[in-house]
Amino acid sequence: MEKQLLDWLLVPSGVSVMVAYHIWLLLRVLKHPNKTVIGLNAINRRFWVRSMMEDVSKNGVLAVQTLRNNIMASTLLASTAIMLSSLIAVLMTGGSSIGGGGGGGGGGRGSDSLVYGAKSQLAISLKFFCILVCFLVAFLFNVQSIRYYSHASILINVPYKVSVLPEHHHMTADYVATTVNRGSYFWSLGLRAFYFSFPLFMWIFGPIPVFLSCVLLVFMLYFLDVTFEFRCLGSAVGQRDAKDEEQGSGN
């Protein structure tokens, strides 16, 4: 009974640490984008889209090739996710006895010694089901990423001259940049789902590895998500753009 209580205590605690970190990261991206890698990449992607659309005849091939590389990356992750989902489904329907009491002899006792926590068939099925859901979510996120990148590969080749009014030029570039950023956001979410599958895999061996892996993963993601070198990029770029506008109006 005490081992089962560890599952009820440590697993929700580890998941809460992961969820709390990503809520903090979301607020950080929304309020201080120039202090996060996700925010800086989004800003630079907007600059890239504008530079690509300034001369479509010159930069069109480069833009499409870049977006195609992103589509290939999303396709690879989506294929891996659906393949792993199929494998987990086969293990669930095949009556896997990992950590269970279905096997006899020394092999069953040896596998039981590796698991510290709930070992019932229901608990094992729940663990595999959580891993399956995680990979299915990763698949859906990467499919949405492919969708947005496919739209952007066409939109980015729309020339400015197509717009009748000059103010539409800025709207077109912003719309394409938003589409590219959404594709990147969904790709990042799909990658986060792969990250989150690691603690779920460790759950097979008990609740203690889940909690430790969640804490270690949050510690690692913090240094991957937060930037310490380019915090002034957003303000510096904004000031430079303002100076360029003032000089242009003065001339």
Side-chain angles (χ1 to χ4, degrees):
M1 186 64 181
E2 295 180 356
K3 295 182 180 180
Q4 294 181 355
L5 289 177
L6 285 178
D7 282 275
W8 290 103
L9 178 63
L10 293 181
V11 175
S13 299
V15 174
S16 299
V17 171
M18 292 280 293
V19 172
Y21 168 76
H22 283 90
I23 292 176
W24 172 84
L25 180 62
L26 176 62
L27 296 176
R28 193 75 169 176
V29 171
L30 295 176
K31 295 183 179 180
H32 306 284
N34 59 332
K35 296 182 180 180
T36 61
V37 175
I38 297 176
L40 284 177
N41 290 339
I43 294 173
N44 289 323
R45 277 191 297 269
R46 288 187 176 274
F47 295 153
W48 177 78
V49 169
R50 291 183 183 180
S51 64
M52 292 295 105
M53 295 186 68
E54 286 179 356
D55 191 353
V56 175
S57 61
K58 181 180 178 180
N59 301 324
V61 176
L62 174 61
V64 172
Q65 288 289 345
T66 303
L67 292 174
R68 184 179 298 175
N69 293 336
N70 293 330
I71 292 175
M72 292 176 61
S74 299
T75 304
L76 177 61
L77 291 181
S79 302
T80 304
I82 198 64
M83 180 184 63
L84 292 175
S85 299
S86 302
L87 179 61
I88 296 300
V90 169
L91 291 177
M92 290 180 62
T93 57
S96 175
S97 60
I98 298 177
R109 291 191 296 269
S111 61
D112 288 346
S113 62
L114 296 176
V115 181
Y116 188 83
K119 302 178 183 179
S120 64
Q121 191 64 35
L122 177 61
I124 297 172
S125 299
L126 179 61
K127 295 175 183 179
F128 280 112
F129 178 75
C130 292
I131 299 173
L132 175 63
V133 171
C134 187
F135 284 128
L136 288 178
V137 170
F139 171 75
L140 294 177
F141 280 147
N142 283 284
V143 168
Q144 289 297 316
S145 175
I146 296 172
R147 170 177 173 263
Y148 279 108
Y149 281 140
S150 299
H151 292 331
S153 63
I154 297 176
L155 296 174
I156 202 170
N157 284 321
V158 176
Y160 276 174
K161 296 180 180 179
V162 172
S163 300
V164 179
L165 300 177
E167 56 268 19
H168 288 176
H169 298 170
H170 181 71
M171 294 172 58
T172 302
D174 283 345
Y175 178 75
V176 178
T178 301
T179 304
V180 175
N181 278 332
R182 285 178 179 176
S184 178
Y185 292 153
F186 275 109
W187 183 83
S188 298
L189 290 174
L191 193 60
R192 298 284 163 155
F194 274 96
Y195 290 156
F196 193 73
S197 66
F198 177 71
L200 295 180
F201 269 118
M202 300 304 295
W203 192 15
I204 297 176
F205 302 100
I208 297 178
V210 175
F211 182 78
L212 295 178
S213 61
C214 286
V215 174
L216 180 62
L217 192 59
V218 167
F219 182 77
M220 180 190 70
L221 289 177
Y222 175 80
F223 289 97
L224 294 177
D225 294 329
V226 179
T227 178
F228 302 97
E229 299 178 358
F230 304 102
R231 294 188 175 184
C232 299
L233 177 62
S235 59
V237 171
Q239 294 177 0
R240 186 178 62 184
D241 292 341
K243 290 181 181 179
D244 293 339
E245 291 179 358
E246 292 178 358
Q247 292 177 359
S249 62
N251 294 332

